[in-house]
Amino acid sequence: MRYAETGFNLEIDLSSGNIARVVSDPRLTELHLGGLGTNARILWDRVPPETDPFSPDNLLIFGTGLLCGTPATGANRTIVTSYSPQTKLMGYSMMGGFFGPELKYAGYDKIILRGKSPKLVYLWIHNDKVELRDADHLHGKGAVETQELIRRELNQPEAQVAAIGLAGENRVFMASIEQGRSSASRLGLGAVMGDKGVKAIAVRGTKDINVARPLDFMKQCNDVLQYIQFREENPVEGVMTILQGLGSPQEMLHVDEKWHTENFMWGNSRVRRKDFWNGEIEKKWKEVQLSVRTRLISCYNCPMKCGAIISVPGLSSYMMKCFSKLTYAMAAFVDDLDFGFRIAQKATEYGVDAFSVPQTMAFAFELLEAGILTDADFAGCPTDNEGKFHWLLDRIVRREGIGDVLADGTHWAAEAIGKGAAAYAHNNIKKHEQLPLKLGMLNPVYYLMYCTGEKSNITQIEGQFPQAPFPTMEEKENFVKDWIQVPDEKFKQYFLDWELRGEHSNPYYPTPEIATDIVDWQEMMHYIDDAVGMCAGLSSFPLKPPYHIHNYPLLISAATGIEIDEEGLKNVYRRNRNLVRAINVRRGLRRADEKPPEDHWRKRFPELEETLLDTYYRFKGWNNEGIPTQQTLETLGMGDVADDLGKRGILTGTEDAAS
């Protein structure tokens, strides 16, 4: 018997319509756990690196995490994986909600889509009954609207539906996959779904999931719940409000936006409005938020309520969470938060990434002001800020006029436009728009995270270690005294030694070696979460979370019956990390690609930055180009990966780790 997982994947050949229930390899679970790890292994084995993201040979994989659907609080993530049309590298994006557990209850760990459907379809999974159904009547429908229409059509109000909007149908590089209380937004995987002719996937499951040692597992789950309650009563002191508790940053609960509005950049990630937040703005924004926030909501089996149902008068309801309530308003320089809630409703129905699209629109209007784009490109565009953004959003998702160029994101749009437009596409890493942050002094930890993160999304790398030093030793000592989550006591000393100014401050402290250590810890927890399907808001992202390297092995062992200790779990992380890196290296990723925007920090230190990368690569067992060495791969039991890289001339077998 397979424990925690179902042991079956659902394989769909869209070109032929063939549907197969396939037994998965239990050995892959031991090596990679599930979720991102096994997704990556399937992508490596089955999709050649020369494959275009919009090729029929590309796969689109919906992979549940290993603990997804078990009683483990917060284990509800589905990891969607393919080649990204925007970065051309491996794309993976997480969505929470109820979809992943429902898929497990239907009897499947993964849905693997290949080929292309000759007509628009949706996939209906009801336990052992699986069918492709005509979706022509859903063409052009909104992502949220589609979910409700499918539930009615099937007469299945409890079905969980992941759907694309018009952006996905039109292969907009920033298209998302919307699903109930969450979405897979980054890296354009909604465009891949649209290219394959799949409008939605609907799932209803009523089967059970078995765990190996129920009593042991429930004890660990109860310990986690007790710690969540403890943290609720004891928020972390000395950090911003949204980082004091657990869960994803609870933007829909909190109304104090001084930190975001005065520290994040407005427009095309260029302007900081340090004096923006005041009592009048706070009162007005609070009234707006409370008036449209119907209720706070959670994902499956989670008490945190990080999102909210938003009901703007005259518009259909939708789900919102995190920083996206601000992205459109700040991009458009609109001081009325009501605009943000209204345009976000339209954007959710269209199915687009709320981090990339606002920046792309602000980028376009900056090009217009600079004369690089002309009035002819914006014929019919309103003159007011709100109207301009609504108009351009429509053009982008429909790929009409200038919107067709902008639909590929700022990097590719700048390349197509020319005339110096590349200077305005200044907030990209690996061709992908980042959070609109422009900072002062180089931070070595964040430099490494921005450069080397495979997801190109800082919130999927950071966490665990505080973002900044505390002002006094008393505050630091108070913080570390119950810091049980550290993998090693040395991390407490790293934090105690970190100072606001002086020789133990940025950029020379944390040192390259210490910065690498910290980044590796943070990466490790995110990669484990993405393998077991845990929400980062209860593990890798917040300070002092309930899940950590010390209790994860106990949970995984009790759930699966696979005996794993801390070192074994670390090896799973290293294996998954190196596999994702190998996939991207095989797609052409090299050291030259690993650099943040030139204007990300005002004060830069080129020599130190090179040393940071050298140190990080050496620590990982990679060569000077960021390629895992043969020894590293073989040590992790990935000799076949090393052989493949060798046959392609990427590895010669003589490389040492970065010197």
Side-chain angles (χ1 to χ4, degrees), residues 151-183:
R151 290 191 189 98
R152 291 179 192 170
E153 181 177 310
L154 297 170
N155 194 25
Q156 292 283 347
E158 300 301 318
Q160 299 302 314
V161 185
I164 58 171
L166 192 57
E169 290 185 40
N170 289 331
R171 304 198 312 182
V172 172
F173 284 12
M174 301 167 285
S176 61
I177 302 170
E178 300 292 330
Q179 182 270 309
R181 302 184 178 192
S182 190
S183 64

mmCIF file of all heavy atoms in Angstrom, residues 151-183:
data_model
loop_
_atom_site.group_PDB
_atom_site.id
_atom_site.type_symbol
_atom_site.label_atom_id
_atom_site.label_comp_id
_atom_site.label_asym_id
_atom_site.label_seq_id
_atom_site.Cartn_x
_atom_site.Cartn_y
_atom_site.Cartn_z
ATOM 1 N N ARG A 151 -19.367 24.065 -12.597
ATOM 2 C CA ARG A 151 -20.030 23.427 -11.452
ATOM 3 C C ARG A 151 -21.525 23.253 -11.725
ATOM 4 O O ARG A 151 -22.113 22.219 -11.401
ATOM 5 C CB ARG A 151 -19.808 24.251 -10.189
ATOM 6 C CG ARG A 151 -18.390 24.224 -9.662
ATOM 7 C CD ARG A 151 -18.307 24.837 -8.275
ATOM 8 N NE ARG A 151 -16.923 25.004 -7.847
ATOM 9 C CZ ARG A 151 -16.245 26.155 -7.936
ATOM 10 N NH1 ARG A 151 -16.840 27.237 -8.415
ATOM 11 N NH2 ARG A 151 -14.990 26.225 -7.549
ATOM 12 N N ARG A 152 -22.133 24.279 -12.298
ATOM 13 C CA ARG A 152 -23.562 24.180 -12.614
ATOM 14 C C ARG A 152 -23.814 23.136 -13.693
ATOM 15 O O ARG A 152 -24.766 22.340 -13.603
ATOM 16 C CB ARG A 152 -24.081 25.543 -13.087
ATOM 17 C CG ARG A 152 -24.127 26.610 -12.008
ATOM 18 C CD ARG A 152 -24.633 27.913 -12.606
ATOM 19 N NE ARG A 152 -24.442 29.040 -11.703
ATOM 20 C CZ ARG A 152 -24.627 30.307 -12.057
ATOM 21 N NH1 ARG A 152 -24.988 30.606 -13.301
ATOM 22 N NH2 ARG A 152 -24.448 31.282 -11.181
ATOM 23 N N GLU A 153 -22.984 23.147 -14.724
ATOM 24 C CA GLU A 153 -23.148 22.195 -15.823
ATOM 25 C C GLU A 153 -23.045 20.761 -15.339
ATOM 26 O O GLU A 153 -23.782 19.870 -15.784
ATOM 27 C CB GLU A 153 -22.105 22.490 -16.898
ATOM 28 C CG GLU A 153 -22.162 21.594 -18.106
ATOM 29 C CD GLU A 153 -21.135 22.007 -19.155
ATOM 30 O OE1 GLU A 153 -21.074 23.202 -19.506
ATOM 31 O OE2 GLU A 153 -20.383 21.131 -19.621
ATOM 32 N N LEU A 154 -22.120 20.521 -14.419
ATOM 33 C CA LEU A 154 -21.906 19.175 -13.893
ATOM 34 C C LEU A 154 -22.841 18.840 -12.736
ATOM 35 O O LEU A 154 -22.892 17.690 -12.296
ATOM 36 C CB LEU A 154 -20.456 19.025 -13.422
ATOM 37 C CG LEU A 154 -19.365 19.164 -14.485
ATOM 38 C CD1 LEU A 154 -17.992 19.229 -13.830
ATOM 39 C CD2 LEU A 154 -19.434 18.015 -15.478
ATOM 40 N N ASN A 155 -23.525 19.877 -12.231
ATOM 41 C CA ASN A 155 -24.334 19.723 -11.025
ATOM 42 C C ASN A 155 -23.478 19.199 -9.872
ATOM 43 O O ASN A 155 -23.871 18.283 -9.142
ATOM 44 C CB ASN A 155 -25.525 18.790 -11.275
ATOM 45 C CG ASN A 155 -26.559 18.871 -10.158
ATOM 46 O OD1 ASN A 155 -26.660 19.887 -9.460
ATOM 47 N ND2 ASN A 155 -27.315 17.794 -9.977
ATOM 48 N N GLN A 156 -22.291 19.797 -9.766
ATOM 49 C CA GLN A 156 -21.317 19.405 -8.743
ATOM 50 C C GLN A 156 -20.826 20.656 -8.019
ATOM 51 O O GLN A 156 -19.739 21.180 -8.304
ATOM 52 C CB GLN A 156 -20.141 18.660 -9.384
ATOM 53 C CG GLN A 156 -20.474 17.300 -9.943
ATOM 54 C CD GLN A 156 -20.611 16.257 -8.847
ATOM 55 O OE1 GLN A 156 -20.223 16.485 -7.692
ATOM 56 N NE2 GLN A 156 -21.175 15.109 -9.195
ATOM 57 N N PRO A 157 -21.617 21.168 -7.075
ATOM 58 C CA PRO A 157 -21.223 22.413 -6.395
ATOM 59 C C PRO A 157 -19.939 22.298 -5.585
ATOM 60 O O PRO A 157 -19.293 23.311 -5.296
ATOM 61 C CB PRO A 157 -22.427 22.708 -5.483
ATOM 62 C CG PRO A 157 -23.122 21.394 -5.315
ATOM 63 C CD PRO A 157 -22.915 20.666 -6.603
ATOM 64 N N GLU A 158 -19.545 21.069 -5.234
ATOM 65 C CA GLU A 158 -18.329 20.868 -4.442
ATOM 66 C C GLU A 158 -17.095 20.621 -5.304
ATOM 67 O O GLU A 158 -15.992 20.452 -4.776
ATOM 68 C CB GLU A 158 -18.519 19.702 -3.481
ATOM 69 C CG GLU A 158 -19.659 19.875 -2.498
ATOM 70 C CD GLU A 158 -19.477 21.112 -1.620
ATOM 71 O OE1 GLU A 158 -18.345 21.350 -1.173
ATOM 72 O OE2 GLU A 158 -20.460 21.829 -1.407
ATOM 73 N N ALA A 159 -17.262 20.564 -6.612
ATOM 74 C CA ALA A 159 -16.112 20.324 -7.490
ATOM 75 C C ALA A 159 -15.125 21.482 -7.386
ATOM 76 O O ALA A 159 -15.508 22.645 -7.268
ATOM 77 C CB ALA A 159 -16.577 20.162 -8.927
ATOM 78 N N GLN A 160 -13.858 21.146 -7.439
ATOM 79 C CA GLN A 160 -12.804 22.158 -7.454
ATOM 80 C C GLN A 160 -12.351 22.357 -8.900
ATOM 81 O O GLN A 160 -12.056 21.381 -9.597
ATOM 82 C CB GLN A 160 -11.632 21.724 -6.571
ATOM 83 C CG GLN A 160 -12.012 21.527 -5.112
ATOM 84 C CD GLN A 160 -12.605 22.777 -4.493
ATOM 85 O OE1 GLN A 160 -12.068 23.877 -4.661
ATOM 86 N NE2 GLN A 160 -13.709 22.614 -3.769
ATOM 87 N N VAL A 161 -12.315 23.615 -9.336
ATOM 88 C CA VAL A 161 -12.063 23.912 -10.741
ATOM 89 C C VAL A 161 -10.894 24.886 -10.876
ATOM 90 O O VAL A 161 -10.892 25.948 -10.250
ATOM 91 C CB VAL A 161 -13.314 24.513 -11.418
ATOM 92 C CG1 VAL A 161 -13.063 24.707 -12.916
ATOM 93 C CG2 VAL A 161 -14.538 23.633 -11.187
ATOM 94 N N ALA A 162 -9.903 24.518 -11.667
ATOM 95 C CA ALA A 162 -8.794 25.406 -12.040
ATOM 96 C C ALA A 162 -9.013 25.827 -13.484
ATOM 97 O O ALA A 162 -9.157 24.969 -14.358
ATOM 98 C CB ALA A 162 -7.456 24.694 -11.883
ATOM 99 N N ALA A 163 -9.059 27.127 -13.736
ATOM 100 C CA ALA A 163 -9.438 27.608 -15.062
ATOM 101 C C ALA A 163 -8.566 28.768 -15.500
ATOM 102 O O ALA A 163 -7.984 29.481 -14.677
ATOM 103 C CB ALA A 163 -10.916 28.031 -15.060
ATOM 104 N N ILE A 164 -8.506 28.952 -16.810
ATOM 105 C CA ILE A 164 -7.841 30.131 -17.373
ATOM 106 C C ILE A 164 -8.910 31.097 -17.880
ATOM 107 O O ILE A 164 -10.049 30.715 -18.142
ATOM 108 C CB ILE A 164 -6.883 29.769 -18.522
ATOM 109 C CG1 ILE A 164 -7.629 29.037 -19.652
ATOM 110 C CG2 ILE A 164 -5.717 28.935 -18.003
ATOM 111 C CD1 ILE A 164 -6.807 28.828 -20.909
ATOM 112 N N GLY A 165 -8.521 32.353 -18.008
ATOM 113 C CA GLY A 165 -9.386 33.349 -18.607
ATOM 114 C C GLY A 165 -8.960 33.625 -20.038
ATOM 115 O O GLY A 165 -8.260 32.833 -20.672
ATOM 116 N N LEU A 166 -9.355 34.795 -20.527
ATOM 117 C CA LEU A 166 -9.048 35.153 -21.907
ATOM 118 C C LEU A 166 -7.542 35.268 -22.131
ATOM 119 O O LEU A 166 -7.045 34.964 -23.217
ATOM 120 C CB LEU A 166 -9.738 36.483 -22.248
ATOM 121 C CG LEU A 166 -9.780 36.878 -23.721
ATOM 122 C CD1 LEU A 166 -10.452 35.811 -24.560
ATOM 123 C CD2 LEU A 166 -10.499 38.218 -23.879
ATOM 124 N N ALA A 167 -6.803 35.692 -21.113
ATOM 125 C CA ALA A 167 -5.351 35.817 -21.259
ATOM 126 C C ALA A 167 -4.700 34.480 -21.563
ATOM 127 O O ALA A 167 -3.811 34.378 -22.419
ATOM 128 C CB ALA A 167 -4.742 36.422 -19.997
ATOM 129 N N GLY A 168 -5.124 33.439 -20.877
ATOM 130 C CA GLY A 168 -4.578 32.113 -21.152
ATOM 131 C C GLY A 168 -4.946 31.618 -22.535
ATOM 132 O O GLY A 168 -4.117 31.041 -23.237
ATOM 133 N N GLU A 169 -6.197 31.843 -22.933
ATOM 134 C CA GLU A 169 -6.624 31.427 -24.274
ATOM 135 C C GLU A 169 -5.781 32.098 -25.352
ATOM 136 O O GLU A 169 -5.487 31.490 -26.392
ATOM 137 C CB GLU A 169 -8.094 31.774 -24.486
ATOM 138 C CG GLU A 169 -9.069 30.929 -23.669
ATOM 139 C CD GLU A 169 -10.499 31.248 -24.031
ATOM 140 O OE1 GLU A 169 -10.785 31.432 -25.234
ATOM 141 O OE2 GLU A 169 -11.345 31.321 -23.107
ATOM 142 N N ASN A 170 -5.388 33.355 -25.102
ATOM 143 C CA ASN A 170 -4.620 34.112 -26.094
ATOM 144 C C ASN A 170 -3.108 34.014 -25.874
ATOM 145 O O ASN A 170 -2.343 34.774 -26.470
ATOM 146 C CB ASN A 170 -5.062 35.579 -26.085
ATOM 147 C CG ASN A 170 -6.449 35.759 -26.663
ATOM 148 O OD1 ASN A 170 -6.880 34.985 -27.512
ATOM 149 N ND2 ASN A 170 -7.166 36.772 -26.202
ATOM 150 N N ARG A 171 -2.693 33.091 -25.023
ATOM 151 C CA ARG A 171 -1.267 32.814 -24.781
ATOM 152 C C ARG A 171 -0.503 34.062 -24.341
ATOM 153 O O ARG A 171 0.645 34.280 -24.735
ATOM 154 C CB ARG A 171 -0.605 32.203 -26.023
ATOM 155 C CG ARG A 171 -1.300 30.949 -26.514
ATOM 156 C CD ARG A 171 -0.459 30.098 -27.429
ATOM 157 N NE ARG A 171 0.203 30.859 -28.496
ATOM 158 C CZ ARG A 171 0.966 30.315 -29.434
ATOM 159 N NH1 ARG A 171 1.170 29.017 -29.432
ATOM 160 N NH2 ARG A 171 1.516 31.063 -30.374
ATOM 161 N N VAL A 172 -1.119 34.875 -23.505
ATOM 162 C CA VAL A 172 -0.412 36.000 -22.886
ATOM 163 C C VAL A 172 0.639 35.426 -21.946
ATOM 164 O O VAL A 172 0.329 34.561 -21.120
ATOM 165 C CB VAL A 172 -1.404 36.902 -22.124
ATOM 166 C CG1 VAL A 172 -0.671 37.971 -21.321
ATOM 167 C CG2 VAL A 172 -2.393 37.535 -23.103
ATOM 168 N N PHE A 173 1.870 35.876 -22.089
ATOM 169 C CA PHE A 173 2.977 35.282 -21.329
ATOM 170 C C PHE A 173 2.808 35.430 -19.819
ATOM 171 O O PHE A 173 3.480 34.741 -19.055
ATOM 172 C CB PHE A 173 4.310 35.918 -21.744
ATOM 173 C CG PHE A 173 4.834 35.436 -23.070
ATOM 174 C CD1 PHE A 173 4.050 34.694 -23.934
ATOM 175 C CD2 PHE A 173 6.133 35.735 -23.460
ATOM 176 C CE1 PHE A 173 4.531 34.253 -25.157
ATOM 177 C CE2 PHE A 173 6.627 35.298 -24.677
ATOM 178 C CZ PHE A 173 5.828 34.561 -25.536
ATOM 179 N N MET A 174 1.943 36.321 -19.384
ATOM 180 C CA MET A 174 1.733 36.557 -17.963
ATOM 181 C C MET A 174 0.414 35.956 -17.477
ATOM 182 O O MET A 174 -0.099 36.333 -16.421
ATOM 183 C CB MET A 174 1.758 38.061 -17.687
ATOM 184 C CG MET A 174 3.065 38.726 -18.103
ATOM 185 S SD MET A 174 2.990 40.529 -18.122
ATOM 186 C CE MET A 174 2.033 40.820 -19.621
ATOM 187 N N ALA A 175 -0.129 35.001 -18.229
ATOM 188 C CA ALA A 175 -1.424 34.412 -17.898
ATOM 189 C C ALA A 175 -1.321 33.491 -16.693
ATOM 190 O O ALA A 175 -0.362 32.730 -16.544
ATOM 191 C CB ALA A 175 -1.979 33.652 -19.097
ATOM 192 N N SER A 176 -2.330 33.548 -15.849
ATOM 193 C CA SER A 176 -2.391 32.737 -14.640
ATOM 194 C C SER A 176 -3.413 31.617 -14.794
ATOM 195 O O SER A 176 -4.193 31.583 -15.743
ATOM 196 C CB SER A 176 -2.768 33.615 -13.439
ATOM 197 O OG SER A 176 -4.052 34.207 -13.657
ATOM 198 N N ILE A 177 -3.397 30.709 -13.829
ATOM 199 C CA ILE A 177 -4.426 29.673 -13.699
ATOM 200 C C ILE A 177 -5.150 29.966 -12.394
ATOM 201 O O ILE A 177 -4.546 29.918 -11.318
ATOM 202 C CB ILE A 177 -3.814 28.264 -13.684
ATOM 203 C CG1 ILE A 177 -3.001 28.016 -14.967
ATOM 204 C CG2 ILE A 177 -4.897 27.202 -13.525
ATOM 205 C CD1 ILE A 177 -2.156 26.744 -14.924
ATOM 206 N N GLU A 178 -6.415 30.318 -12.478
ATOM 207 C CA GLU A 178 -7.185 30.719 -11.293
ATOM 208 C C GLU A 178 -7.953 29.519 -10.751
ATOM 209 O O GLU A 178 -8.508 28.723 -11.508
ATOM 210 C CB GLU A 178 -8.158 31.845 -11.650
ATOM 211 C CG GLU A 178 -7.485 33.099 -12.186
ATOM 212 C CD GLU A 178 -6.658 33.821 -11.139
ATOM 213 O OE1 GLU A 178 -7.020 33.745 -9.939
ATOM 214 O OE2 GLU A 178 -5.654 34.467 -11.507
ATOM 215 N N GLN A 179 -7.997 29.452 -9.419
ATOM 216 C CA GLN A 179 -8.622 28.273 -8.810
ATOM 217 C C GLN A 179 -9.189 28.650 -7.445
ATOM 218 O O GLN A 179 -8.450 28.780 -6.486
ATOM 219 C CB GLN A 179 -7.579 27.159 -8.678
ATOM 220 C CG GLN A 179 -8.106 25.870 -8.101
ATOM 221 C CD GLN A 179 -7.991 25.812 -6.602
ATOM 222 O OE1 GLN A 179 -6.927 26.052 -6.027
ATOM 223 N NE2 GLN A 179 -9.082 25.500 -5.938
ATOM 224 N N GLY A 180 -10.492 28.880 -7.381
ATOM 225 C CA GLY A 180 -11.147 29.087 -6.095
ATOM 226 C C GLY A 180 -10.475 30.126 -5.248
ATOM 227 O O GLY A 180 -10.589 31.323 -5.493
ATOM 228 N N ARG A 181 -9.715 29.694 -4.270
ATOM 229 C CA ARG A 181 -9.106 30.595 -3.296
ATOM 230 C C ARG A 181 -7.617 30.820 -3.540
ATOM 231 O O ARG A 181 -6.902 31.271 -2.647
ATOM 232 C CB ARG A 181 -9.327 30.043 -1.886
ATOM 233 C CG ARG A 181 -10.799 29.868 -1.567
ATOM 234 C CD ARG A 181 -11.044 29.419 -0.153
ATOM 235 N NE ARG A 181 -12.489 29.321 0.091
ATOM 236 C CZ ARG A 181 -13.032 29.165 1.287
ATOM 237 N NH1 ARG A 181 -12.267 29.078 2.351
ATOM 238 N NH2 ARG A 181 -14.328 29.085 1.429
ATOM 239 N N SER A 182 -7.158 30.491 -4.733
ATOM 240 C CA SER A 182 -5.738 30.663 -5.011
ATOM 241 C C SER A 182 -5.539 30.730 -6.514
ATOM 242 O O SER A 182 -6.485 30.691 -7.285
ATOM 243 C CB SER A 182 -4.935 29.502 -4.407
ATOM 244 O OG SER A 182 -3.552 29.757 -4.463
ATOM 245 N N SER A 183 -4.275 30.849 -6.913
ATOM 246 C CA SER A 183 -3.955 30.868 -8.340
ATOM 247 C C SER A 183 -2.493 30.498 -8.534
ATOM 248 O O SER A 183 -1.668 30.699 -7.649
ATOM 249 C CB SER A 183 -4.214 32.252 -8.944
ATOM 250 O OG SER A 183 -3.353 33.216 -8.373
#
